[in-house]
Amino acid sequence: LRRYRPNNINIPDFFLTTLSILFSSSFSSASLKPYFPKIPFLASSRIRRFLQIPSMSVSNPNNRRRFANPDSLSDWLKPRLPSDSFASWGVKPGTKNVHNLWLEISQGETSLADSTPPIRTVNVVTVKIIGKNNRVLIESHQELSDGTVRSRHRPLSEKMKPDESPDSAVLRAIREELGSIAGGEVRIVPGSYREKVEERCSASYPSLPARYVLYSVDAIVDGLPDDDFVTEEGEEYGDSEDKKVADQAVTVRKHFWKWVSPDSVEL
């Protein structure tokens, strides 16, 4: 057999040529590869539910408004809310008025995002008080300062103050809403701490979307009556610097409490 060998090919040159071709091909592929910029991940509604990503969260915490007085707050809200809903604030039974919202904002209990519609964010502590036979204390309804009655059917809850810890808020809520009746020891049930976020339109301020950051615990409070009872609340905004605004706000006068089975309580 006769081997065929081209006379004009030099072996070292052949290898150099091959490497040059491979390198050029690789470089061309890289240079021709399309560029895809990184895009922030946006979760779908299903993924949001699974990961519990708030759909109404506000990305910029500094983008929140403060107002000199209730009138300036009212002027700012009117073009951002349905006129009929805003007009019902403080008029529809069980609702609060713009003076209440201004006080909440001025005292740091509530923040409003600068959006349309505005989003009200509130930190709330909820205390599930457990009594005899594992019954749970709930607030069935409230009597307001305007004479109306507001249905509640939920455990004791209270808006948190700025920089207030959940533990401190629990003790303050029990002291303010149960008053002298809750004169005994308060014990937090170990391992009962829970935290979640709820988003819904506020019952107090119709058509105003609200984002509630809820901190809840189970507690045992000594000295409470075994039967249903009523407590009276002091001045809700008694420490407010603007007493004239507080006098025009709708406040809670009486709390009506009852013991129910744990199965009927939703947190």
Side-chain angles (χ1 to χ4, degrees), residues 161-211:
K161 302 290 185 181
D163 301 322
E164 186 177 36
S165 68
D167 287 347
S168 299
V170 166
L171 297 177
R172 180 177 60 83
I174 292 174
R175 182 180 68 252
E176 290 182 359
E177 298 204 3
L178 296 182
S180 59
I181 291 182
E185 183 181 1
V186 177
R187 288 165 288 166
I188 304 298
V189 177
S192 65
Y193 178 83
R194 297 172 295 277
E195 182 179 340
K196 69 175 182 177
V197 175
E198 287 186 0
E199 294 170 348
R200 60 180 185 270
C201 281
S202 173
S204 298
Y205 308 104
S207 294
L208 182 64
R211 182 176 188 267

Side-chain angles (χ1 to χ4, degrees), residues 20-34:
S20 176
I21 293 172
L22 290 174
F23 178 79
S24 299
S25 175
S26 175
F27 180 80
S28 299
S29 298
S31 63
L32 294 175
K33 185 177 180 180

Side-chain angles (χ1 to χ4, degrees), residues 90-103:
V91 177
K92 181 181 178 181
T95 63
K96 296 183 178 181
N97 59 33
V98 71
H99 296 82
N100 289 90
L101 185 58
W102 185 84
L103 288 167

Side-chain angles (χ1 to χ4, degrees), residues 99-202:
H99 296 82
N100 289 90
L101 185 58
W102 185 84
L103 288 167
E104 291 179 12
I105 296 171
S106 64
Q107 295 188 2
E109 297 176 341
T110 288
S111 64
L112 276 185
D114 193 351
S115 57
T116 302
I119 299 173
R120 172 178 173 247
T121 298
V122 192
N123 291 348
V124 178
V125 66
T126 300
V127 189
K128 188 171 77 172
I129 298 175
I130 302 173
K132 293 182 179 179
N133 301 319
N134 289 325
R135 294 185 303 168
V136 176
L137 185 68
I138 66 164
E139 185 178 22
S140 60
H141 57 284
Q142 298 172 340
E143 182 181 307
L144 304 181
S145 58
D146 60 1
T148 62
V149 174
R150 179 166 66 169
S151 178
R152 298 285 285 173
H153 198 77
R154 66 183 64 173
L156 184 152
S157 61
E158 183 72 19
K159 294 186 294 293
M160 295 176 63
K161 302 290 185 181
D163 301 322
E164 186 177 36
S165 68
D167 287 347
S168 299
V170 166
L171 297 177
R172 180 177 60 83
I174 292 174
R175 182 180 68 252
E176 290 182 359
E177 298 204 3
L178 296 182
S180 59
I181 291 182
E185 183 181 1
V186 177
R187 288 165 288 166
I188 304 298
V189 177
S192 65
Y193 178 83
R194 297 172 295 277
E195 182 179 340
K196 69 175 182 177
V197 175
E198 287 186 0
E199 294 170 348
R200 60 180 185 270
C201 281
S202 173

Side-chain angles (χ1 to χ4, degrees), residues 65 67 69-89 97-99 101 112 114-118 206-208:
R65 298 296 302 248
F67 305 90
N69 50 56
D71 289 338
S72 63
L73 173 58
S74 179
D75 292 341
W76 185 81
L77 286 171
K78 283 179 180 178
R80 291 169 169 82
L81 293 173
S83 58
D84 55 342
S85 297
F86 183 66
S88 71
W89 289 18
N97 59 33
V98 71
H99 296 82
L101 185 58
L112 276 185
D114 193 351
S115 57
T116 302
S207 294
L208 182 64

